[in-house]
Amino acid sequence: MHELELGLDTFGDVTVGEDGQRLSDAQTIRDVVDQAVLADEVGLAFFGVGEHHRHEFAVSSPEIVLAAAAARTERIHLGTAVTVLSSDDPVRVYERFATLDAVSRGRAEVILGRGSFIESFPLFGYDLRDYEVLFDEKLELFSQLRAEKPVTWQGTTRAALEGADVFPKTEAGLRAWVGVGGSPESVVRTARHGYALMLAIIGGAAERFRPFVDLYHRSLDSFGHERQPIGVHSPGHIADTDEQAWEELYPAMEANRNAIGAERGWPPYSRLQFQHDVGPEGAVYAGSPETVARKIAATARALGIDRFDLKFSNGTLSHARMLHSIELYGATVAPLVADMLARD
């Protein structure tokens, strides 16, 4: 089996300090940059920062946070998880990431998506009734911009372009993914435009997503595109033992799930649900390094993926605990996964 890249994702969840008090958004953002630095030091492949526009998350402009991380890192690739393309302008998105690619010396990546939250739509003046067409048209335009040649484009969601050239140019192109939650239509659209596929698996067993992987490969072939990478994004947390990881993660995850669930009509989160989620049939990769490594390796085998991104920030989980999780992930989980997969 080919080598599996291991990455990290964070939404910049606003955390609490050692005194139990909520940190400022500013301190949370500075902590995210420090987390990226540690991720680079322990040899991880990717660090992704999500875009949100609500009080639980401090990062609304991930490219600026990533640029700060670029100045303090050497090897790790830096990107988003995800950029909400529907409520942004594709031209400006491309310009920002081409700039990030320059300051990071070619380490920028963008993961485009519709986002699982809707706050950005009214904030930037978009109608939720246009949810589908906004993403379809803007992804099409972004696809043309990736060629870095003058673009002529017309749609219904922004002004038309006639021979528009966009700057700066990158030195070797921009690596781009589309984040997909699990609809066949989204998988086919990703393949049609020739993007890498990032599967957000936040519930259920990873094996359930194998049909989407197969559909993606078939679709790439039918559209005449070369093979593209496939990744998985899932939440988790690593500590020295299973019990420690679970005890640290559960209160933070419970508070986060219940706050969001109250808006979406979810039932209250429970210990019983949590134990299912961290088990073999769940989508939470939490436990000791050995437990997490076995689960990641099993996912890689089941889906044939190229990268696994652990969403390591979960609610109010403290900065210190996240740093320890990152250290264990790079220093212990990564070599364990490589060894497990090398035996296949």
Side-chain angles (χ1 to χ4, degrees), residues 224-291:
H225 294 305
E226 296 179 354
R227 186 189 185 280
Q228 297 295 322
I230 300 175
V232 165
H233 154 107
S234 289
H237 176 60
I238 308 160
D240 297 320
T241 67
D242 289 346
E243 292 74 17
Q244 182 184 350
W246 298 340
E247 288 306 308
E248 290 176 357
L249 179 59
Y250 178 74
M253 183 167 277
E254 179 192 39
N256 182 258
R257 290 283 185 92
N258 286 343
I260 296 168
E263 301 174 5
R264 301 187 178 185
W266 298 346
Y269 199 58
S270 67
R271 284 273 182 182
L272 186 63
Q273 180 63 49
F274 178 75
Q275 287 306 132
H276 172 270
D277 290 344
V278 300
E281 298 301 310
V284 178
Y285 293 68
S288 68
E290 294 77 11
T291 295

Side-chain angles (χ1 to χ4, degrees), residues 90-100 142 165-168:
V91 173
R92 293 294 289 139
V93 172
Y94 201 88
E95 290 175 339
R96 296 197 301 265
F97 276 91
T99 303
L100 176 64
F142 195 90
D165 214 355
V166 174
F167 304 95

Side-chain angles (χ1 to χ4, degrees), residues 1 290 293-294 297 301 335-344:
M1 186 172 181
E290 294 77 11
R294 282 196 299 271
R301 293 188 192 102
L336 281 172
V337 171
D339 182 59
M340 291 173 185
L341 295 179
R343 292 189 231 136
D344 291 349

Side-chain angles (χ1 to χ4, degrees), residues 178-205:
V178 172
V180 171
S183 76
E185 296 79 11
S186 296
V187 172
V188 173
R189 175 172 50 213
T190 301
R192 183 171 70 247
H193 291 293
Y195 287 91
L197 177 70
M198 181 60 67
L199 291 167
I201 303 180
I202 58 175

Side-chain angles (χ1 to χ4, degrees), residues 135-194:
F135 190 69
D136 283 343
E137 289 194 359
K138 292 185 177 187
L139 188 65
E140 178 191 345
L141 174 54
F142 195 90
S143 301
Q144 293 189 37
L145 293 166
R146 289 181 70 192
E148 299 193 342
K149 297 177 181 178
V151 170
T152 296
W153 178 91
Q154 187 169 0
T156 63
T157 56
R158 75 174 310 282
L161 297 174
E162 182 67 38
D165 214 355
V166 174
F167 304 95
K169 306 297 184 185
T170 63
E171 292 174 319
L174 179 64
R175 191 179 192 188
W177 308 64
V178 172
V180 171
S183 76
E185 296 79 11
S186 296
V187 172
V188 173
R189 175 172 50 213
T190 301
R192 183 171 70 247
H193 291 293

